[in-house]
Amino acid sequence: MNQNPLSLLQKFGQSIWLDFISRGMLLSGELESMITDDGILGVTSNPSIFERAFTGSHDYDDAIRDAALTGRSAKETYELLTVQDIQKTADMFHRTYERTQGRDGFVSLEVSPHLAHDSDRTMSEARKLWKLVSRPNVLIKVPGTLEGLPAIRQLIREGINVNVTLLFSLDRYAEVVESYISGLEERVRDGKSITSIASVASFFLSRIDVAVDRLLPSASSLRGQTAINSAKIAYQKYQHIFATERFKILQRQGAKTQRLLWASTSTKNPSESDIKYVEALIGPDTINTIPLETVSAYRDHGAPKDRLGMGVAQAGEALELLSDVGINLKEVTSQLENEGVHKFSSAFDQLMSGLELKRQAVLSDAGDIQILILANCRDQVESRVDLLNGEAFCRRIWRKDATLWKSDMADQAMIKNSLGWLHIAEKMEESLDEIQDFVKEVRNAGFEHVVHMGMGGSSLAPLVFARIFSAKDGLPLTVLD
C-alpha cells in the first residue's frame, strides 16, 4: 500500500498545518482523521475562514441563538465562538504539542485586522485573546506591518506565542526576525524563561505571483516564479540568522527558531500544478499551511522531495531580473500588504454583518417557519442523518471519496474530478480582483450585453446569478441553455 504523501513530508523536516477550521470538522471527527491519516500537525485560521464557517453553514446556529438570547453582541458572539473552536482544536493537538516538545501542535487565532496599523491596540487584543484561550499551544496572529513590529517584540517579551502574518517582503521578514530575537533577549534580561515561547513567520506566496504576473508580458519566462524564488531566499536568510552566535546564546537558554511558514499556498493559475506551492518548498524546519483542496490534491498526487535548497542562486538572479523589466518588487509587496489588511478587514466586517443578521433573526423569531418545517419531517431527517453519519459521509466527501457513489474505477475517476465545487468559494474569493478587472476591461471596450450559451450544469450557475444579481455593477446577462 502506498504511503500518504502528506505524512511523508515529515521525513524531510517539514510540518503540514491545515489552513481551515470549522466546528463541523471538530465534531464530525474529520480533523481527528486528518491528524491520524495525513499527519496534520497544526491549524491556522483567519477572518476569511471564520466568515465562511459562521455564515456559510448551520454548524453554529444553536450557539449563535444562545448567545443572542443571553444578550451578547455580534463581536462578543464572535469572540465566544472563535475561542471555543480554538480551545477545542488546541486540545486535539495537545498530544502533538507534547510529542514534538512544543515545536508543532499549534492553532492560530488572529487579532482584528482593523488593528494592523495600531501597535498598542494590537498588543491589548493579543493579550486578551491569549488569556481567553488559555492554552500553551495557541499562536496569536499579528500582521507583519510596520506598526506590528513593536507589538511582536513586546508580546514575545511577555511570553505570548506569535504567528506573524501577511509577510510578502524579504526586507520586512528580516525586520520580523529582529523583533522576535530582540523580544527573547529582553525577556532573558527580565530574568524569565524562554523555553516555551514559539513563533512562526508566515510568508504569503500565491498572491505575489498574481500581482507580479500582471505586470509581466504573457511570454515572459519570469511568470509564476517570483513567490517561490522569494521563499527560497527567505529560507537562506532564516538559516543564516538562526546560525549566528547571537541566536546561539539564546538557544542555549532554550530558545526555538522562528520557523518560516508558507501561507497562501493554493494555486491561482489554473494552467499550473495545483500543488505548486507545496512541491517546490519542501525543506527542513519549515511549515506549509494548506487549505482543504490542496490537502486533497497532495494526498492524491504529491511527490515529496527536499527541494527548498535547490536553485537558490538562480532564484536570486531571477528576482534581480524583475527590476530590469521595470518591476519594483518592494512596491509590489508593499501594495500586497495593504491589500491583505484590507481583504481581511473586509472579511471581518462581513463576518460581523452575518452574525448580526443571524442575531436579529433569532430576536425577531424569524426562524420559526424553518423550525416548524423541520419538526414535521424530523424523523425522516434524523434517520437519514444517522445513516450518513454511519457512513462517515462528511469526512469522506471532503476527502473526495468517490466510493460514496460508485464502485467502478472509471466512474470514480470522473466523480473525483467533478468535486471541485467543494472548495470553489474560497478559490474564487482569491480571484475577485482579477474578475473585477476583467469586468472593467469588457465595459471599457464597449460591450453592453453578455450571452452565455451552455447546456445543463454549465448553464445553471450563470442562470442563478442572472436571476439573483442586478446588472448595476456589471453587464446584462442572457442565458441560452
Side-chain angles (χ1 to χ4, degrees):
M1 182 177 180
N2 293 331
Q3 191 167 352
N4 188 332
L6 287 164
S7 299
L8 285 173
L9 288 170
Q10 293 183 43
K11 294 184 178 181
F12 299 95
Q14 185 169 74
S15 303
I16 293 295
W17 292 4
L18 178 66
D19 192 27
F20 190 73
I21 187 172
S22 74
R23 189 157 294 188
M25 289 185 69
L26 302 179
L27 298 178
S28 69
E30 182 184 356
L31 181 57
E32 191 68 56
S33 173
M34 295 177 75
I35 295 172
T36 303
D37 300 340
D38 298 320
I40 299 296
L41 295 175
V43 164
T44 53
S45 67
N46 60 48
S48 296
I49 287 172
F50 278 121
E51 193 271 331
R52 290 195 296 271
F54 288 2
T55 62
S57 75
H58 295 292
D59 294 341
Y60 297 86
D61 286 0
D62 289 343
I64 293 171
R65 173 178 290 274
D66 291 343
L69 294 177
T70 53
R72 283 187 168 88
S73 67
K75 190 172 190 305
E76 290 169 335
T77 302
Y78 165 77
E79 285 186 351
L80 174 69
L81 300 182
T82 54
V83 167
Q84 288 175 344
D85 281 3
I86 295 296
Q87 286 176 327
K88 186 171 180 62
T89 307
D91 291 343
M92 292 176 69
F93 279 102
H94 191 73
R95 283 175 295 177
T96 302
Y97 175 74
E98 290 186 327
R99 176 175 57 81
T100 61
Q101 298 181 314
R103 199 64 170 158
D104 282 300
F106 287 95
V107 55
S108 297
L109 177 61
E110 188 156 351
V111 300
S112 169
H114 286 294
L115 308 180
H117 299 297
D118 189 325
S119 301
D120 291 338
R121 292 176 67 198
T122 291
M123 288 187 282
S124 178
E125 180 153 332
R127 294 180 188 118
K128 177 184 177 181
L129 294 175
W130 177 257
K131 186 175 180 180
L132 282 173
V133 176
S134 188
R135 298 291 191 276
N137 56 326
V138 67
L139 290 162
I140 305 300
K141 293 181 79 173
V142 175
T145 57
L146 192 62
E147 297 83 0
L149 297 175
I152 294 161
R153 180 171 178 165
Q154 182 59 29
L155 292 171
I156 293 297
R157 181 178 184 173
E158 295 176 17
I160 295 175
N161 300 330
V162 178
N163 177 343
V164 185
T165 185
L166 286 178
L167 292 178
F168 302 93
S169 159
L170 290 169
D171 290 341
R172 182 56 53 79
Y173 168 62
E175 293 173 329
V176 164
V177 176
E178 173 61 31
S179 297
Y180 172 65
I181 293 177
S182 296
L184 290 176
E185 290 171 334
E186 291 171 0
R187 185 169 176 83
V188 168
R189 287 197 290 271
D190 293 339
K192 297 179 180 178
S193 171
I194 57 175
T195 58
S196 63
I197 298 175
S199 181
V200 298
S202 297
F203 211 94
F204 279 53
L205 298 172
S206 62
R207 298 185 191 182
I208 297 176
D209 281 338
V210 171
V212 171
D213 287 359
R214 286 176 183 165
L215 305 175
L216 288 168
S218 58
S220 173
S221 61
L222 296 174
R223 289 177 66 88
Q225 293 188 32
T226 308
I228 289 173
N229 289 336
S230 297
K232 287 178 181 287
I233 301 303
Y235 185 61
Q236 295 300 306
K237 289 179 179 289
Y238 164 84
Q239 290 182 311
H240 171 73
I241 294 171
F242 288 104
T244 60
E245 183 58 29
R246 179 189 179 190
F247 183 75
K248 286 182 178 178
I249 292 172
L250 294 168
Q251 203 165 31
R252 288 192 283 270
Q253 298 176 75
K256 301 178 181 68
T257 62
Q258 184 188 51
R259 284 187 294 171
L260 274 162
L261 179 150
W262 313 127
S264 184
T265 53
S266 61
T267 307
K268 305 300 185 292
N269 188 337
S271 67
E272 296 178 331
S273 167
D274 54 359
I275 53 175
K276 167 184 175 178
Y277 298 107
V278 183
E279 291 285 65
L281 299 175
I282 301 167
D285 261 353
T286 59
I287 304 161
N288 201 324
T289 182
I290 58 181
L292 283 167
E293 182 180 25
T294 310
V295 168
S296 297
Y298 203 83
R299 185 195 297 124
D300 181 66
H301 49 270
K305 184 178 180 181
D306 187 345
R307 300 183 179 92
L308 187 54
M310 297 179 179
V312 174
Q314 295 91 323
E317 291 169 2
L319 291 179
E320 291 178 3
L321 283 174
L322 290 175
S323 61
D324 294 341
V325 294
I327 295 176
N328 186 323
L329 191 55
K330 288 185 179 180
E331 290 182 359
V332 171
T333 55
S334 177
Q335 179 64 28
L336 284 170
E337 180 184 295
N338 293 332
E339 290 176 359
V341 171
H342 175 71
K343 285 180 179 179
F344 278 171
S345 296
S346 297
F348 187 82
D349 292 342
Q350 290 173 17
L351 170 56
M352 290 297 114
S353 297
L355 283 175
E356 183 59 28
L357 285 174
K358 289 197 172 190
R359 282 184 69 258
Q360 293 303 324
V362 168
L363 297 176
S364 64
D365 291 327
D368 285 351
I369 295 177
Q370 289 184 337
I371 293 171
L372 180 63
I373 293 171
L374 285 174
N376 289 336
C377 56
R378 184 178 302 278
D379 290 344
Q380 297 96 313
V381 170
E382 290 184 349
S383 174
R384 185 59 178 166
V385 168
D386 288 342
L387 179 63
L388 292 173
N389 284 336
E391 296 176 346
F393 185 88
C394 288
R395 176 175 61 83
R396 290 168 63 193
I397 193 173
W398 282 111
R399 293 171 70 94
K400 297 187 176 180
D401 183 351
T403 62
L404 286 165
W405 291 276
K406 296 286 185 178
S407 57
D408 181 77
M409 295 293 288
D411 289 336
Q412 290 179 17
M414 183 179 68
I415 291 170
K416 183 178 288 189
N417 192 48
S418 302
L419 292 175
W421 57 267
L422 287 165
H423 307 282
I424 194 64
E426 54 264 35
K427 199 172 185 69
M428 293 308 297
E429 186 178 40
E430 293 287 348
S431 302
L432 282 177
D433 290 342
E434 187 176 350
I435 293 169
Q436 289 168 349
D437 288 345
F438 176 70
V439 172
K440 291 177 184 176
E441 181 183 343
V442 170
R443 295 186 74 171
N444 291 338
F447 288 92
E448 298 178 354
H449 202 103
V450 175
V451 177
H452 171 91
M453 294 184 289
M455 182 176 68
S458 64
S459 299
L460 184 57
L463 190 61
V464 170
F465 296 154
R467 291 184 178 180
I468 292 178
F469 302 112
S470 72
K472 182 179 66 174
D473 298 320
L475 293 173
L477 172 65
T478 298
V479 179
L480 301 179
D481 185 87

